Amino acid sequence: MGVGDVSKRILLGRKLRSSQVGETLLSKKIAFPVFASDALSSVAYAPDEIFIILSLAGISLYAYSWWIALAVAVVMVTVVASYRQTVHAYPSGGGDYEVAMVNLGPRAGMTVASALIVDYVLVVAVSLSSAAQYAASAIGFVSGHEATVATVLVVALTVVNLRGVRESGAWFALPAYAFVLGLGTMLAVGAVRALSGTLPPAESAELRIVEAEGYEGTLTTVALVFLVARAFSSGCAALTGVEAISNGVPAFRKPKSRNAATTLGLLALVAITLMMGVVTLANEMRVRYVDPNEGERLVDAAGRPVELEQQTLIAQIAEGVFDTFPPGYYFVVLATGVILVLASNTAFNGFPVLGSILARDGFAPRALGSRGDRLAYSNGIVFLAVLAVVLIVAFDAEVTRLIQLYIVGVFVSFNLSQLGMMRHWTRQLASEGDPAVRRRMQRSRAINGFGLAMTAVVFVIILVTKFLAGAWIALLAMGTFYLLMSGVRRHYTAVSEELAADEQDKVLPTRVHAIVLVSKLHKPTLRALAYAKAMRPNVLEAVYVGTDAREANRLVDEWDARRVDVPLKILHSPYRELVRPTVDYATEIRKANPRGVVAVFIPEYVVGHWWEQLLHNQTALRLKGRLLFTPGVMVISVPFQLRSSQAALEREERDVDRVRPGDLRAGRVRVDEPGGQVHGR
Amino acid sequence: MGVGDVSKRILLGRKLRSSQVGETLLSKKIAFPVFASDALSSVAYAPDEIFIILSLAGISLYAYSWWIALAVAVVMVTVVASYRQTVHAYPSGGGDYEVAMVNLGPRAGMTVASALIVDYVLVVAVSLSSAAQYAASAIGFVSGHEATVATVLVVALTVVNLRGVRESGAWFALPAYAFVLGLGTMLAVGAVRALSGTLPPAESAELRIVEAEGYEGTLTTVALVFLVARAFSSGCAALTGVEAISNGVPAFRKPKSRNAATTLGLLALVAITLMMGVVTLANEMRVRYVDPNEGERLVDAAGRPVELEQQTLIAQIAEGVFDTFPPGYYFVVLATGVILVLASNTAFNGFPVLGSILARDGFAPRALGSRGDRLAYSNGIVFLAVLAVVLIVAFDAEVTRLIQLYIVGVFVSFNLSQLGMMRHWTRQLASEGDPAVRRRMQRSRAINGFGLAMTAVVFVIILVTKFLAGAWIALLAMGTFYLLMSGVRRHYTAVSEELAADEQDKVLPTRVHAIVLVSKLHKPTLRALAYAKAMRPNVLEAVYVGTDAREANRLVDEWDARRVDVPLKILHSPYRELVRPTVDYATEIRKANPRGVVAVFIPEYVVGHWWEQLLHNQTALRLKGRLLFTPGVMVISVPFQLRSSQAALEREERDVDRVRPGDLRAGRVRVDEPGGQVHGR
């Protein structure tokens, strides 16, 4: 057969499509809730964090809160503008990681990947801790058990995602709209009531705040600036989740990039409106808010501590705005809690996709790269959940302390991604002639340049204000993941060098000596003998390893009676050991003929249930594992399917059709409308 | 090749011997401590139990204690005499199980096996709980933490046995002799001092015992008989462990059976002497002893409760006998504690041997039958340890309550074994003509008959007096194990029927269609292609499953460049899935030619460390697993050994030479003296 025979058929693609996919491509009105919930849900805690930091110096600094929120909004506009460039330039869903990897090389890529892993863990920890806080606002007895509630939520999400759930389902779309609708209505009603002078003050309006230790009296300018900067960097928690859309482009309907960019713009508009509205109304209603952990700093006008379970900002506003309509309050609090849970679900979906991309690039175990590897998928999800629970328990589900770890990772990827995009445009410009296109590119580069400048400044502010407060933990974790990934990559590189083909690799074995391992003369053995004969080896013999002379004689008699025309060799093994005599025999054959190859046929029967697996084939498995370490040997499993094996096949069929976390954002979607694309890329 | 060519060579036996074994065959003076520690250690708790039960009715019944001990001694003499018959008739080490199986059939065999499993668990639980009691006697602060100490001891023994330890080592022999020496000296000194009138009373001699609820005042005759019967059946705990020698015959030097019988006789002599001595001295020194859990029933002469950490019988005697020589007290208590630990170690060694025999007979997973299966071995040991810890924790390490569960199982096997031996002699007599031999056999049958009558009576006493006190738990556990074993056996039988060869099984496949799976063109692939070509299949093609057109093209170019003379077929797979397209393709080939066979060659590279395993071959493993379920397919692993694979081989070499629990009593021993036997059987 010559080289010309090489066939390049594309096969089986069509057949797989129908069975393998469960998700659907997303219209903008579905994509918005699915991908925006992470970013939108930040509104549930970011304003609170601004107020908490400012209140360290008493309520006098609350005047800054509006300006700080505005600064956060400006940063968000810049970042969203930058990501709109990214979704056009990198529509494959690789997001920040791909941008950094392609433009800045593997070190930057691994740095972004480390930051993303840490972020995914923190999304889960922060969102569910915050959700537990909202639960405590609405349901009195939850208060004090936030860590337990958050942990239970992690476990529930883990179970749901291990079973598989369609992210594009209505369950995921409705709550986000409910949240926007509820919060929007609250802000509108609040604005009208404020203008008409009927807006009541918040429940905490009459309270005073005792300055925290070190912040008593008039602050120095430096201390003031530092405190405002701290409040600003905490407020930047509002930006978390913005990047989710850039990882989900393959899930959009065509034109994918344009639709993703539009959704991004919409997200920025809604998020900024909600955040500014919350901060404005909170000031208007004179909400007083301190770290929930330092509730004793809230005192009444006479300076006496008050007995008050402090509610979150949004809950306090809703309580005031809907003072005559309690269902409105409960609707807002519930919708906020639910969207926080959904936000952490995006991490469960994003994490496997990141894992599979890292596996493709050799930074993570290859098993993570195959959707078919259920075990790797499950391990990834459990890994994420365990780390999140560790954080929740270690920080007792205190959002304020978790936030300190959170944003540093987000801004690491923002910065590297912006830098990468600048390189991208510069490279593109070098080869582009058309002046119109060049102008567009230059504009894009300017946007990313401005974004980089902005996010770099914010990053420095975050590092300075948060490092000792907890950011060091996140950085340490990122460093660990970085080292792990580079270790994995080094290993794969070393192996691939050791495996590289050279010229001597085409030598053919001179002869094949086949042995069929026999334990009994039953159907599997006869099938293995038949298959072995069909292969026409140079030598063929059956080998029986036995302890007991009587059993051996019985086999020999049966062999004679059935007139099996393959010679039977009996190896004596004390203590019922099979593996070692077989390996030794194979090694001996090979030694006698170093240029030949030994083909070991192992008859196996396959069963369908896990408990049957325990009862069978353990020895065959060990033997195969051991023979693989023996040079010049190939191991041939000849299976015989027992009736019960059907059960395993059916189980597997069911499993293949199941939706897996991340299917949607990797573009593994079902086509159920004209114009949809099948493979996503 | 004709049937006449069948070769029946015995190979490799000699080679294995040297490397595979670590234990040595035992002289009587080593066998005695190794196998007798279990039975001897019963002296540490059996007399205590007699006193505890009698004290329910106050000290008035203590007068019976000596007679009860004598009755136990008579039972022991009978049982030992019976076992001396067994070790001659069944020298293979199968013990009670083998006797019941051969003579009474599988149901009896499974019953004995269930009883033995329960007994092994209870040996560990009882011995280590008792050891913890002795530790509490000698070391004050242990008192009250007996369950913790016992659990720690279980864990320590588990670790030691997982690592592997030579039972025949001096560490195992010395403590048993120290125990016999210490206890013997104590009894001798005590006897001399008693005769000379200088023996002091025990620390508890002046105390009174309050009758337990329901035993106040004069007992009715029925109640008295019942209480004495209860004390007797608790005292029968002294018989536990007697059967150990019958399971260890293969480990003795020749003449094995005679040596084992002599050791049995010696054991009975020593055990009875020690037990009678302890009971006699305890009475002489007026020891008062109640259930340690009911310490409040011990009162002083005025009827006031006393503050006394009650010590075990042996400890109280040692304290009195060695009142002027404290080291003697500590020596006795320490030696007793150590021999109890060794006694539970015999369970760790006996359990794997039982498992391997059960596996051979199809009552347990076959993996347990192979010494080479480290995993099965470890699982068995961990299983034993976990059950023992559950019992220790559930019963708070209270020996008295654990004893209630213990002896019922022991006497189940005694009875079935005696019955089996009677059948054995009857059957032998039927075919024996020599009058001298017949007389010997008749005498043996008489001994076993007497033994059966005796143990049957004891069994009924135990059932009546212990059923509600806890024996029902042991019986329930035995029933569970019985059901599990019969389920396993049924499954194996069903499978073996399904596998039985019939006439149509000799049909040869008409053609072999071979496919070599290719992921890259590296050394493993080239080797797989070479091996596949050497097999000369009817059709040979290479198959690449890919997502990415660019990667596929690169492979095709390389294929052309290297002039590989095997056609390359490319299967398109969305989402980087390998398994399903491959299986579908193999199925298609098979469908096109139902009488042919598909040979799937999988190039694999093997690595040596567990973390490397995580990074490699997961897909190959899944693929092989899945292909085995596909009819008409054989799976061929072509391994390529990376340099690091050497590490795994070396690890395995070390592991093979390691001593495993049970090696000694299964007769897997090293020959280091003339006259020793190599294979044990």
Side-chain angles (χ1 to χ4, degrees):
Chain A
M1 286 172 279
V3 183
D5 283 342
V6 174
S7 76
K8 297 168 191 177
R9 257 210 295 157
I10 302 293
L11 246 183
L12 292 168
R14 182 156 305 277
K15 194 175 164 199
L16 284 172
R17 286 170 198 164
S18 57
S19 67
Q20 199 173 35
V21 288
E23 290 278 9
T24 46
L25 278 177
L26 301 184
S27 62
K28 273 172 292 187
K29 63 177 183 291
I30 296 289
F32 178 73
V34 167
F35 292 121
S37 66
D38 188 1
L40 285 180
S41 69
S42 312
V43 176
Y45 47 80
D48 302 45
E49 297 305 317
I50 297 177
F51 276 69
I52 284 173
I53 303 291
L54 290 178
S55 69
L56 286 174
I59 59 168
S60 60
L61 296 189
Y62 274 8
Y64 291 100
S65 61
W66 199 85
W67 294 103
I68 292 173
L70 190 65
V72 172
V74 170
V75 178
M76 186 182 282
V77 169
T78 321
V79 168
V80 165
S82 306
Y83 272 111
R84 283 166 57 98
Q85 313 307 316
T86 306
V87 296
H88 281 291
Y90 293 91
S92 66
D96 293 341
Y97 168 77
E98 191 179 352
V99 172
M101 187 73 185
V102 170
N103 296 295
L104 307 173
R107 279 159 200 245
M110 284 193 288
T111 308
V112 170
S114 309
L116 284 175
I117 295 173
V118 172
D119 280 353
Y120 279 132
V121 174
L122 279 158
V123 171
V124 177
V126 168
S127 301
L128 295 183
S129 294
S130 182
Q133 258 186 10
Y134 275 87
S137 284
I139 317 167
F141 64 82
V142 168
S143 186
H145 303 91
E146 283 89 349
T148 312
V149 172
T151 304
V152 168
L153 287 173
V154 175
V155 173
L157 274 178
T158 308
V159 171
V160 165
N161 278 292
L162 285 178
R163 285 206 63 240
V165 61
R166 291 181 54 184
E167 257 200 303
S168 54
W171 282 104
F172 287 85
L174 282 182
Y177 283 114
F179 174 74
V180 173
L181 180 78
L183 226 58
T185 309
M186 176 185 90
L187 296 176
V189 173
V192 169
R193 290 186 69 175
L195 292 174
S196 64
T198 62
L199 186 64
E203 59 173 21
S204 57
E206 301 309 318
L207 301 179
R208 275 182 43 215
I209 293 176
V210 180
E211 290 91 349
E213 216 174 312
Y215 293 91
E216 300 91 348
T218 317
L219 295 180
T220 62
T221 313
V222 172
L224 179 69
V225 168
F226 189 77
L227 197 63
V228 169
R230 259 182 82 184
F232 166 72
S233 54
S234 281
C236 283
L239 273 79
T240 58
V242 167
E243 76 289 352
I245 292 179
S246 73
N247 297 119
V249 186
F252 280 83
R253 289 201 193 140
K254 280 182 172 175
K256 288 173 182 292
S257 293
R258 167 109 49 96
N259 284 336
T262 311
T263 307
L264 259 172
L266 190 65
L267 163 66
L269 188 69
V270 173
I272 290 173
T273 308
L274 295 182
M275 179 178 66
M276 295 310 294
V278 166
V279 172
T280 310
L281 270 190
N283 277 314
E284 195 66 32
M285 296 169 73
R286 286 180 289 129
V287 172
R288 275 78 180 100
Y289 197 66
V290 298
D291 188 334
N293 216 31
E294 300 172 350
E296 70 280 0
R297 284 178 36 229
L298 272 183
V299 294
D300 65 12
R304 285 176 308 235
V306 290
E307 286 288 326
L308 176 71
E309 286 297 340
Q310 189 181 241
Q311 294 194 66
T312 59
L313 243 57
I314 289 179
Q316 289 197 37
I317 295 172
E319 201 176 36
V321 168
F322 296 120
D323 55 350
T324 58
F325 182 61
Y329 164 78
Y330 283 106
F331 182 83
V332 168
V333 170
L334 182 69
T336 312
V338 172
I339 203 176
L340 283 164
V341 174
L342 289 194
S344 65
N345 194 56
T346 59
F348 279 96
N349 279 280
F351 193 69
V353 177
L354 176 63
S356 112
I357 294 175
L358 290 176
R360 185 195 62 199
D361 290 351
F363 295 134
R366 280 199 199 120
L368 290 175
S370 158
R371 182 180 181 277
D373 199 323
R374 195 162 47 122
L375 196 65
Y377 253 70
S378 310
N379 285 344
I381 289 170
V382 170
F383 174 79
L384 175 66
V386 167
L387 287 189
V389 167
V390 166
L391 281 182
I392 287 171
V393 171
F395 289 90
D396 202 23
E398 288 172 25
V399 177
T400 306
R401 287 168 63 203
L402 286 167
I403 289 278
Q404 319 298 322
L405 281 68
Y406 194 6
I407 28 184
V408 62
V410 176
F411 274 84
V412 164
S413 29
F414 281 167
N415 273 291
L416 285 172
S417 147
Q418 306 281 17
L419 188 63
M421 286 306 289
M422 290 208 43
R423 281 262 188 103
H424 169 80
W425 297 125
T426 308
R427 225 182 34 230
Q428 298 284 67
L429 278 167
S431 61
E432 181 61 57
D434 182 346
V437 177
R438 286 184 65 87
R439 262 197 307 283
R440 264 213 309 284
M441 287 180 170
Q442 271 155 348
R443 207 195 47 159
S444 293
R445 185 168 64 168
I447 292 175
N448 285 123
F450 184 72
L452 175 62
M454 178 80 86
T455 52
V457 170
V458 176
F459 182 61
V460 171
I461 294 175
I462 290 172
L463 264 193
V464 170
T465 57
K466 300 290 185 202
F467 186 81
L468 290 177
W472 66 271
I473 301 173
L475 290 170
L476 191 70
M478 285 165 58
T480 310
F481 287 123
Y482 184 96
L483 289 180
L484 274 176
M485 284 189 255
S486 59
V488 167
R489 186 169 157 99
R490 237 190 342 268
H491 174 77
Y492 278 132
T493 311
V495 166
S496 119
E497 274 163 16
E498 196 176 340
L499 294 180
D502 53 39
E503 278 320 303
Q504 58 177 323
D505 288 325
K506 294 183 78 171
V507 184
L508 279 191
T510 50
R511 53 188 257 134
V512 178
H513 186 133
I515 62 180
V516 179
L517 291 182
V518 175
S519 62
K520 278 184 188 158
L521 198 54
H522 52 21
K523 279 174 188 283
T525 301
L526 290 171
R527 177 178 289 182
L529 287 168
Y531 283 14
K533 269 196 268 182
M535 292 289 245
R536 281 166 291 144
N538 303 77
V539 181
L540 172 60
E541 57 186 357
V543 169
Y544 171 78
V545 183
T547 336
D548 196 288
R550 256 177 314 163
E551 272 179 54
N553 288 334
R554 197 181 316 138
L555 180 68
V556 171
D557 292 344
E558 252 188 291
W559 207 263
D560 291 350
R562 282 195 75 91
R563 306 185 164 278
V564 183
D565 55 353
V566 175
L568 175 65
K569 176 159 280 170
I570 292 176
L571 302 184
H572 183 61
S573 160
Y575 322 131
R576 314 182 65 79
E577 236 212 321
L578 176 69
V579 174
R580 210 178 159 92
T582 311
V583 170
D584 288 346
Y585 185 57
T587 311
E588 228 169 65
I589 296 174
R590 162 81 170 175
K591 252 189 218 143
N593 197 337
R595 298 199 47 208
V597 59
V598 185
V600 182
F601 285 79
I602 305 181
E604 282 181 56
Y605 39 97
V606 282
V607 288
H609 304 103
W610 64 267
W611 52 269
E612 290 178 303
Q613 307 274 10
L614 289 183
L615 295 176
H616 296 286
N617 284 333
Q618 301 298 322
T619 313
L621 213 64
R622 262 186 325 118
L623 180 59
K624 282 195 280 184
R626 181 60 185 73
L627 281 170
L628 291 182
F629 285 92
T630 316
V633 168
M634 60 179 141
V635 183
I636 301 163
S637 300
V638 181
F640 182 92
Q641 292 82 19
L642 283 166
R643 281 187 292 269
S644 80
S645 71
Q646 204 51 36
L649 278 183
E650 282 158 16
R651 203 170 49 237
E652 190 168 319
E653 282 304 318
R654 284 196 303 275
D655 194 64
V656 164
D657 292 340
R658 188 175 279 177
V659 174
R660 296 266 161 79
D663 274 3
L664 178 64
R665 47 203 75 197
R668 293 186 197 106
V669 290
R670 185 171 56 202
V671 183
D672 54 5
E673 35 144 19
Q677 189 185 322
V678 176
H679 290 149
R681 300 190 187 180
Chain B
M1 288 172 280
V3 183
D5 285 341
V6 175
S7 78
K8 297 167 190 176
R9 257 212 294 159
I10 302 292
L11 245 184
L12 291 169
R14 182 157 304 279
K15 194 173 164 200
L16 284 173
R17 287 170 197 163
S18 58
S19 67
Q20 200 174 34
V21 290
E23 290 278 10
T24 46
L25 279 178
L26 302 184
S27 63
K28 273 173 289 189
K29 62 177 184 289
I30 296 290
F32 178 74
V34 168
F35 292 120
S37 65
D38 188 0
L40 285 181
S41 70
S42 313
V43 175
Y45 47 81
D48 303 43
E49 296 306 317
I50 298 177
F51 276 70
I52 285 173
I53 303 291
L54 291 178
S55 70
L56 286 173
I59 59 169
S60 60
L61 297 189
Y62 274 8
Y64 291 100
S65 60
W66 198 85
W67 295 102
I68 292 173
L70 191 65
V72 172
V74 171
V75 179
M76 188 182 280
V77 169
T78 321
V79 169
V80 165
S82 306
Y83 273 111
R84 283 165 56 99
Q85 313 307 316
T86 305
V87 296
H88 281 291
Y90 294 90
S92 66
D96 294 340
Y97 168 78
E98 191 178 352
V99 173
M101 187 74 186
V102 170
N103 296 295
L104 307 172
R107 280 161 200 243
M110 284 194 288
T111 308
V112 171
S114 310
L116 285 175
I117 294 173
V118 172
D119 280 352
Y120 280 132
V121 174
L122 278 157
V123 171
V124 177
V126 169
S127 301
L128 295 183
S129 295
S130 182
Q133 258 186 11
Y134 276 87
S137 284
I139 318 167
F141 64 83
V142 167
S143 186
H145 303 90
E146 284 89 350
T148 311
V149 171
T151 304
V152 168
L153 288 173
V154 175
V155 173
L157 275 178
T158 309
V159 171
V160 165
N161 278 292
L162 286 178
R163 283 207 66 239
V165 60
R166 291 181 55 183
E167 258 200 303
S168 53
W171 281 105
F172 287 85
L174 283 183
Y177 283 115
F179 173 75
V180 172
L181 180 78
L183 224 57
T185 309
M186 177 185 90
L187 296 177
V189 173
V192 170
R193 290 186 67 175
L195 292 175
S196 65
T198 61
L199 185 64
E203 58 173 21
S204 56
E206 301 309 318
L207 301 179
R208 276 183 42 215
I209 293 176
V210 179
E211 292 90 350
E213 215 175 312
Y215 293 91
E216 299 92 350
T218 317
L219 295 180
T220 64
T221 313
V222 173
L224 180 68
V225 168
F226 189 78
L227 197 62
V228 169
R230 259 182 85 185
F232 166 71
S233 54
S234 280
C236 283
L239 273 81
T240 57
V242 167
E243 75 289 353
I245 291 178
S246 73
N247 296 121
V249 187
F252 280 83
R253 290 203 192 137
K254 280 182 174 177
K256 288 174 182 291
S257 294
R258 166 110 49 97
N259 283 336
T262 311
T263 308
L264 259 171
L266 190 65
L267 163 66
L269 187 68
V270 173
I272 290 172
T273 308
L274 295 182
M275 179 178 66
M276 295 309 295
V278 166
V279 172
T280 310
L281 270 191
N283 278 314
E284 196 66 32
M285 297 167 73
R286 287 181 287 127
V287 171
R288 275 78 179 101
Y289 197 66
V290 299
D291 188 334
N293 215 30
E294 300 173 349
E296 70 282 359
R297 285 180 35 230
L298 273 183
V299 294
D300 65 14
R304 284 176 306 233
V306 291
E307 285 288 326
L308 175 72
E309 285 297 340
Q310 188 181 242
Q311 294 194 68
T312 59
L313 244 57
I314 290 180
Q316 289 196 36
I317 295 171
E319 201 176 35
V321 168
F322 296 121
D323 55 350
T324 58
F325 182 61
Y329 164 78
Y330 284 105
F331 183 83
V332 168
V333 171
L334 181 69
T336 312
V338 172
I339 203 177
L340 283 163
V341 175
L342 289 192
S344 65
N345 194 57
T346 59
F348 279 96
N349 279 279
F351 193 69
V353 177
L354 177 64
S356 111
I357 294 174
L358 290 176
R360 184 195 63 198
D361 289 352
F363 296 134
R366 285 207 193 111
L368 290 175
S370 158
R371 183 181 182 277
D373 200 322
R374 194 161 48 123
L375 196 64
Y377 253 70
S378 310
N379 285 344
I381 290 170
V382 170
F383 173 78
L384 175 66
V386 167
L387 287 188
V389 167
V390 166
L391 281 182
I392 287 171
V393 171
F395 289 89
D396 203 21
E398 287 173 25
V399 176
T400 307
R401 287 168 64 203
L402 285 168
I403 289 278
Q404 319 298 321
L405 281 68
Y406 194 5
I407 27 184
V408 62
V410 176
F411 275 83
V412 164
S413 29
F414 282 168
N415 273 292
L416 285 172
S417 149
Q418 307 280 16
L419 189 62
M421 286 306 289
M422 293 214 29
R423 283 262 188 102
H424 169 80
W425 297 125
T426 309
R427 225 181 34 229
Q428 299 283 70
L429 278 166
S431 60
E432 182 61 56
D434 181 348
V437 177
R438 285 185 64 87
R439 260 198 306 284
R440 264 213 311 283
M441 285 181 173
Q442 272 154 346
R443 205 196 49 161
S444 292
R445 186 168 64 168
I447 291 174
N448 286 123
F450 184 72
L452 175 61
M454 179 79 86
T455 52
V457 170
V458 177
F459 182 62
V460 171
I461 294 175
I462 290 171
L463 263 193
V464 170
T465 56
K466 300 290 185 200
F467 186 80
L468 290 177
W472 66 272
I473 301 174
L475 290 169
L476 191 70
M478 284 164 59
T480 310
F481 288 123
Y482 184 95
L483 290 180
L484 273 176
M485 283 188 256
S486 59
V488 168
R489 186 168 156 102
R490 237 189 342 267
H491 174 76
Y492 279 133
T493 311
V495 166
S496 118
E497 275 163 17
E498 196 176 340
L499 293 181
D502 53 37
E503 278 320 303
Q504 59 177 325
D505 287 326
K506 293 183 78 170
V507 184
L508 280 191
T510 49
R511 52 189 257 135
V512 178
H513 186 134
I515 60 180
V516 179
L517 292 182
V518 175
S519 61
K520 278 182 189 159
L521 198 55
H522 51 21
K523 279 173 188 285
T525 301
L526 291 171
R527 177 178 289 182
L529 287 168
Y531 282 15
K533 270 195 270 183
M535 291 290 246
R536 281 167 291 145
N538 303 76
V539 182
L540 172 60
E541 57 187 357
V543 169
Y544 170 79
V545 183
T547 336
D548 195 290
R550 257 176 315 163
E551 272 179 52
N553 288 335
R554 200 182 313 139
L555 180 68
V556 171
D557 291 345
E558 252 188 291
W559 207 263
D560 292 349
R562 283 193 77 90
R563 306 186 161 279
V564 183
D565 55 353
V566 174
L568 174 65
K569 177 159 281 169
I570 291 175
L571 303 182
H572 183 62
S573 160
Y575 323 132
R576 313 183 66 80
E577 236 212 322
L578 175 71
V579 174
R580 210 180 158 90
T582 311
V583 171
D584 287 347
Y585 185 56
T587 311
E588 228 170 65
I589 296 173
R590 162 81 171 175
K591 249 187 219 145
N593 197 337
R595 299 199 46 209
V597 59
V598 184
V600 182
F601 285 80
I602 305 180
E604 281 181 59
Y605 39 97
V606 282
V607 288
H609 304 104
W610 64 267
W611 51 270
E612 290 179 304
Q613 306 275 10
L614 290 183
L615 295 176
H616 296 285
N617 285 331
Q618 301 299 320
T619 313
L621 213 64
R622 262 185 326 116
L623 180 59
K624 282 194 280 185
R626 181 59 184 76
L627 281 170
L628 292 182
F629 285 92
T630 316
V633 168
M634 61 178 141
V635 183
I636 301 162
S637 301
V638 180
F640 182 92
Q641 292 82 19
L642 282 166
R643 281 187 292 270
S644 81
S645 70
Q646 204 52 36
L649 278 184
E650 283 159 15
R651 203 169 49 237
E652 191 167 318
E653 282 304 317
R654 284 196 302 275
D655 195 64
V656 164
D657 292 341
R658 187 177 278 177
V659 173
R660 295 266 160 78
D663 273 4
L664 177 64
R665 48 202 74 195
R668 293 185 197 106
V669 290
R670 187 170 54 202
V671 183
D672 53 5
E673 34 142 22
Q677 189 184 324
V678 176
H679 291 150
R681 300 190 188 178

